[in-house]
Amino acid sequence: MMTFKDKTLEAFIAFWLLLFVALFSAVTLACAWYFAWLTWQVVLSMCVMLCCYTYAIAYFRQRILLSFHRALLHIESIKQEDYKQYAKPAFPLGVVGKFHQHLRELSEELSIKKQRYDQHAFLVYQLIDQLETPVMVINQKDQLSYANGAFSLLYDGQPWQRYRNASLKLLGLLKVDNTWQLLTNKQQINQQWQISHSIFIDAGRTYQLLIFTNIESTIRNSQDKAWRQMVNVMGHEIRNSLTPVSSIAESLSARATNQRDQDALALISERCMSLQNFINRYASLTKEVNLHYEQVFAKQLAQQVKGLFEQRALHVTVKSGWIWADRSILEQVLINLVKNALEAGAETVDLVLSEDNHNTVIKVVDDGHGFANEENLFVPLFTTKQEGQGIGLSFCRNVIEQHNGSISLVNNPTHGVTVTITIPLKSAK
């Protein structure tokens, strides 16, 4: 059975030393009484010896416990990840010295491992910074600890430093049953972003790593792939049918003597040619455009577009010096947008060119009737015009994104549409 003296080293040492002193004193007193030496001089001498023994016991106990206290200080430094603090052993040699030597080797090993871990963590954070998708690090207090540059995509272009230590409520993040969701206007769930999360430990603290994936981009890539496959099949079948039909129509037209028959065959041949051109145009939408970047003076570009619509109410405002883009293709995009606005019943169209955060921002604002179905604006072949082909906006988005930019269309609160184009001032290629 374990007694008090066996539970701690201090009690163990004190018990056996005091027991030794008590036995020694008892034997000495017994001998003095037996041999009649018990005088006041003997008693005084025994008291002095007892004091010396007590001091020796205390010193002996202190020296033994000092080794453990210094080892505890060393271990406390290790717990605080301070691997350069070493405790001087009370006994440099023997088992105590060996024990402290092992502690020193442990500190050096942990120091090397920490350096490697810090290097890996630094590389991880560098990798996070290079990602084009938003990444957040949430600390134990459910506050924003770190994020990458793509964080601005979630919060209207704002840098993550402005939201440092912000709460989940301020960030618009909702955690339900270990599932994270991003809220729009703090009420509706933003379906555009899918959030993946994982847990990691840094410096003994637990963090949540949130990775935001743009689902719309993934869905759009799948749609584009499906459209390309469909167009390839459709184009192949239509070309195989149009070629013999057009050839037969031309052959019959050359033999026909009736003007009515010639006109009908000419119409068939013309429609075959138009349908062939349509397939070729649509097939080119998803192809990479060979862009020729140059410094395009914004004022000159705006005036050229305005010159094409002199009889219409096109107002131009230029707040930008130049644009880094393919001049001819960007001009064609602006022409398409202004033309769409006028065909949508707009009486006035405002073309505004400005700069914001090292980007060129182009806005086309009209007062037309707007769009009834905003979700399908960029869907190929979708159009609200009776004679439209549904290619213009798809073409615009394709070439703007190949400029490493973005394009968005929204209905104005009253009437009309605002088209916003953002293009980097410097090419990312």
Side-chain angles (χ1 to χ4, degrees):
M1 180 177 179
M2 183 175 291
T3 60
F4 173 73
K5 71 178 188 307
D6 299 321
K7 291 184 179 179
T8 64
L9 179 64
E10 297 94 325
F12 181 81
I13 295 173
F15 176 81
W16 288 106
L17 290 179
L18 289 175
L19 181 60
F20 170 77
V21 172
L23 291 175
F24 179 80
S25 300
V27 171
T28 303
L29 285 173
C31 291
W33 177 81
Y34 181 78
F35 293 105
W37 295 341
L38 195 60
T39 62
W40 67 270
Q41 293 89 348
V42 173
V43 173
L44 181 61
S45 299
M46 291 181 63
C47 290
V48 172
M49 291 179 61
L50 183 62
C51 291
C52 292
Y53 281 135
T54 303
Y55 175 78
I57 291 172
Y59 178 75
F60 177 76
R61 179 179 179 274
Q62 181 184 5
R63 289 283 292 174
I64 293 177
L65 296 181
L66 182 61
S67 299
F68 291 93
H69 286 309
R70 291 184 178 181
L72 288 174
L73 291 176
H74 194 161
I75 294 174
E76 185 64 27
S77 298
I78 293 176
K79 289 173 61 178
Q80 299 298 326
E81 296 186 355
D82 184 2
Y83 305 114
K84 299 302 181 182
Q85 296 291 335
Y86 302 118
K88 183 179 180 181
F91 303 97
L93 302 178
V95 66
V96 175
K98 187 175 182 181
F99 175 68
H100 279 271
Q101 179 63 28
H102 283 309
L103 282 180
R104 188 184 185 98
E105 293 174 356
L106 176 62
S107 293
E108 294 174 351
E109 183 179 353
L110 291 177
S111 177
I112 295 174
K113 289 183 177 180
K114 186 177 185 301
Q115 290 178 1
R116 292 176 180 174
Y117 173 81
D118 291 341
Q119 291 175 353
H120 293 164
F122 178 73
L123 292 175
V124 169
Y125 278 102
Q126 277 193 323
L127 178 61
I128 290 176
D129 288 336
Q130 298 299 321
L131 294 177
E132 296 180 356
T133 184
V135 178
M136 294 186 197
V137 178
I138 306 298
N139 61 22
Q140 291 175 308
K141 298 180 181 179
D142 286 338
Q143 297 174 338
L144 178 64
S145 174
Y146 187 81
N148 62 351
F151 173 91
S152 59
L153 298 175
L154 303 174
Y155 299 95
D156 300 326
Q158 300 294 332
W160 77 269
Q161 289 83 354
R162 293 192 60 179
Y163 289 84
R164 188 193 297 270
N165 297 327
S167 63
L168 298 182
K169 182 178 180 181
L170 184 61
L171 293 170
L173 291 173
L174 180 64
K175 183 180 181 182
V176 180
D177 297 332
N178 207 30
T179 300
W180 291 82
Q181 295 174 331
L182 180 65
L183 302 182
T184 302
N185 298 326
K186 305 297 185 294
Q187 293 179 352
Q188 297 179 350
I189 297 176
N190 191 333
Q191 302 293 344
Q192 178 182 357
W193 300 96
Q194 182 182 30
I195 306 177
S196 304
H197 79 282
S198 61
I199 299 175
F200 71 98
I201 299 176
D202 185 13
R205 299 178 181 178
T206 303
Y207 293 88
Q208 296 274 354
L209 182 67
L210 306 183
I211 303 176
F212 294 75
T213 303
N214 190 341
I215 299 179
E216 288 187 357
S217 177
T218 304
I219 294 176
R220 222 191 76 200
N221 291 336
S222 299
Q223 290 177 341
D224 289 344
K225 183 178 180 180
W227 279 110
R228 286 195 296 268
Q229 292 176 346
M230 186 195 72
V231 168
N232 290 336
V233 175
M234 183 177 66
H236 178 74
E237 295 298 328
I238 291 178
R239 288 189 186 96
N240 289 342
S241 300
L242 289 179
T243 301
V245 170
S246 177
S247 177
I248 292 173
E250 291 177 359
S251 177
L252 293 176
S253 178
R255 299 177 185 178
T257 58
N258 189 311
Q259 185 63 37
R260 180 179 178 182
D261 293 340
Q262 291 180 351
D263 293 341
L265 292 171
L267 178 61
I268 293 174
S269 180
E270 179 185 353
R271 294 311 301 165
C272 288
M273 185 68 67
S274 298
L275 187 56
Q276 183 73 28
N277 291 335
F278 169 75
I279 293 298
N280 293 335
R281 287 182 60 194
Y282 183 72
S284 66
L285 284 179
T286 56
K287 293 181 179 180
E288 189 79 15
V289 180
N290 188 16
L291 301 177
H292 300 283
Y293 284 96
E294 61 179 318
Q295 280 191 345
V296 180
F297 289 98
K299 187 174 182 180
Q300 184 179 6
L301 175 65
Q303 291 300 327
Q304 287 182 344
V305 175
K306 182 176 176 60
L308 298 175
F309 302 93
E310 292 182 351
Q311 305 301 322
R312 306 295 185 97
L314 175 60
H315 304 291
V316 175
T317 303
V318 180
K319 301 178 183 178
S320 175
W322 55 273
I323 307 169
W324 187 251
D326 186 302
R327 180 191 186 93
S328 61
I329 290 182
L330 182 59
E331 181 179 349
Q332 185 61 48
V333 168
L334 297 181
I335 292 173
N336 286 355
L337 295 176
V338 174
K339 184 172 177 292
N340 286 344
L342 296 174
E343 291 177 351
E347 296 182 1
T348 59
V349 180
D350 293 323
L351 176 60
V352 182
L353 292 83
S354 60
E355 293 182 9
D356 181 31
N357 294 330
H358 305 290
N359 293 319
T360 298
V361 180
I362 304 174
K363 290 190 175 183
V364 180
V365 185
D366 67 73
D367 58 356
H369 53 66
F371 292 102
N373 192 341
E374 296 182 55
E375 296 181 356
N376 295 323
L377 294 180
F378 292 107
V379 176
L381 301 180
F382 175 83
T383 181
T384 57
K385 305 175 186 177
Q386 292 182 355
E387 298 181 356
Q389 297 176 338
I391 291 179
L393 291 179
S394 298
F395 167 79
C396 293
R397 184 179 67 175
N398 185 35
V399 298
I400 291 300
E401 289 183 350
Q402 290 186 40
H403 277 82
N404 302 299
S406 62
I407 180 172
S408 64
L409 290 85
V410 294
N411 285 324
N412 298 327
T414 54
H415 50 269
V417 174
T418 297
V419 183
T420 304
I421 296 175
T422 302
I423 300 176
L425 281 176
K426 289 295 183 181
S427 173
K429 294 185 178 180

